[in-house]
Amino acid sequence: MPNPAPEHSCDFCGGRSVSTRYDFGRHRILRCRGCTFMWLDPQPSEAELHEVYGSDYYRNRRFFDGDETIYGYFDCFSEHPAKEFDNRRILDRITRLHIPPGSNERRFLDVGCGLGHLMNAASQRGYRVQGIDYNLAATEWIADTYGFPAFCGDFMEYQGEASDAVAMLDVIEHLPRPLAALEKARSLTRPGGVFVLSTMDSDSLVSRLVGKRLEDFRRTREHLYFFNRATIRKALRRAGFEVLRIDSHGLTIRMDFLAQRVRLAYPRAGAALERLVRWLRLSNRKLHFDPHTKMIVYVRRPAGS
């Protein structure tokens, strides 16, 4: 039975019936019994977040050591080719959802743009792209590699033009004010335009079965809030969006990286899988893997709003 946390109230519904869902020692994840929203306690300071989003965020060689080292990416540069298929599929879906032209050019905004790979895919589709990221090393890499404009700083301070399509993939759980960020995203989406968001589905069957072993819960230095399908739907509608569809969101991944991720949650099984992958010489083989622990949501800002 979860332990009560009576000194806390829920930012989503204001309820005060709060319990501890997962305890990690220095941190815990709390859950509102009323609306099921979850959040990290205690929340990191701004200085702590700056430390996490440093130059090693996209190539964190200690990632698989576990505990406080689980943040960022083991090697985002090596993982990029495997994710090109996923980026194309997201852009295909956005195109099918009908984005009104609005002008002679279509704009695409990537919030939490990382190393700019989704921006590059959108640019190849004819979008005029712009990105936002909290990580200075990332925005500088984008400028040097692609030449795309990328704003470095707090998303809530961004003052760019509204876009036909706005993406926020694996970002909302990192933001200190997620509900306000959705309202900000609406203001940056043109009427009739599409906003796409992905995040952990904290109440999926697999998320509940794996529990605190799951990597997304264990990222206690960077994951601050946790939605399920019900709370993300309510939050997006509250922000003024029309929810079009919610899908399970997998990823294309190399077999060796997949085995290492399994080892984080289940050390013995993961180690056995790593040996098998090496023995079969499948380390560089890619597959699309969907454990149903994440969701991707497509919404529209209603025309005329």
Side-chain angles (χ1 to χ4, degrees):
M1 205 51 191
N3 296 321
E7 71 277 16
H8 291 267
S9 60
C10 176
D11 288 342
F12 191 83
C13 72
R16 298 193 62 83
S17 181
V18 176
S19 62
T20 300
R21 183 63 176 266
Y22 302 117
D23 194 335
F24 294 96
R26 291 180 59 186
H27 298 275
R28 57 183 178 165
I29 294 174
L30 303 181
R31 179 184 177 93
C32 175
R33 290 192 176 103
C35 72
T36 70
F37 191 55
M38 297 199 293
W39 61 94
L40 182 72
D41 175 67
Q43 295 273 303
S45 67
E46 185 173 349
E48 289 170 327
L49 289 175
H50 271 294
E51 182 181 350
V52 170
Y53 300 115
S55 59
D56 69 338
Y57 187 81
Y58 293 98
R59 186 171 277 157
N60 176 10
R61 293 304 193 180
R62 298 180 59 216
F63 184 92
F64 294 108
D65 293 347
D67 298 327
E68 291 292 301
T69 65
I70 301 177
Y71 63 89
Y73 299 82
F74 176 70
D75 190 346
C76 191
F77 301 90
S78 297
E79 295 177 29
H80 162 57
K83 293 183 177 180
E84 289 182 337
F85 169 78
D86 303 321
N87 289 337
R88 290 197 299 269
R89 188 166 62 172
I90 290 168
L91 289 164
D92 286 344
R93 177 75 69 188
I94 290 173
T95 301
R96 286 196 296 270
L97 290 173
H98 174 62
I99 302 172
S103 67
N104 292 329
E105 62 179 7
R106 295 183 302 169
R107 294 179 178 272
F108 184 94
L109 175 64
D110 190 2
V111 181
C113 55
L115 299 179
H117 302 315
L118 181 62
M119 294 170 65
N120 186 49
S123 177
Q124 293 173 358
R125 297 290 184 95
Y127 287 97
R128 180 179 176 184
V129 299
Q130 183 152 4
I132 310 168
D133 204 277
Y134 194 65
N135 190 311
L136 179 60
T139 55
E140 290 179 342
W141 194 89
I142 290 170
D144 292 340
T145 305
Y146 295 121
F148 298 145
F151 170 79
C152 180
D154 187 341
F155 170 54
M156 301 302 293
E157 297 176 0
Y158 178 73
Q159 298 296 325
E161 295 182 59
S163 296
D164 299 282
V166 178
M168 186 185 281
L169 304 183
D170 297 325
V171 171
I172 193 70
E173 63 271 18
H174 296 253
L175 301 180
R177 298 170 57 205
L179 304 178
L182 294 179
E183 295 178 359
K184 177 76 172 182
R186 179 187 177 278
S187 73
L188 292 170
T189 306
R190 283 178 174 168
V194 170
F195 173 56
V196 55
L197 171 151
S198 69
T199 189
M200 181 187 184
D201 184 353
S202 62
D203 272 346
S204 75
L205 177 61
V206 176
S207 295
R208 288 184 281 117
L209 287 174
V210 181
K212 66 184 294 185
R213 295 188 186 95
L214 200 61
E215 178 188 312
D216 288 273
F217 286 135
R218 295 175 64 184
R219 289 174 175 262
T220 55
R221 297 185 65 185
E222 56 176 333
H223 283 189
L224 312 182
Y225 293 94
F226 304 89
F227 292 86
N228 56 30
R229 293 195 178 209
T231 51
I232 198 65
R233 187 185 295 273
K234 290 177 183 176
L236 287 162
R237 285 175 172 169
R238 187 186 296 179
F241 287 109
E242 172 195 358
V243 178
L244 303 174
R245 61 184 298 150
I246 302 179
D247 299 320
S248 179
H249 184 49
L251 76 162
T252 303
I253 188 170
R254 277 175 30 181
M255 288 290 292
D256 54 350
F257 288 158
L258 175 61
Q260 289 174 305
R261 279 180 151 76
V262 172
R263 179 164 54 82
L264 274 179
Y266 297 99
R268 291 184 180 179
L273 181 59
E274 283 183 292
R275 291 193 295 269
L276 180 64
V277 167
R278 286 196 299 268
W279 182 66
L280 294 175
R281 298 181 180 180
L282 296 175
S283 294
N284 292 322
R285 183 71 62 86
K286 305 178 186 72
L287 81 162
H288 188 76
F289 178 66
D290 187 359
H292 293 266
T293 58
K294 289 192 177 185
M295 56 185 165
I296 187 163
V297 190
Y298 296 88
V299 303
R300 178 181 289 121
R301 176 176 175 177
S305 66

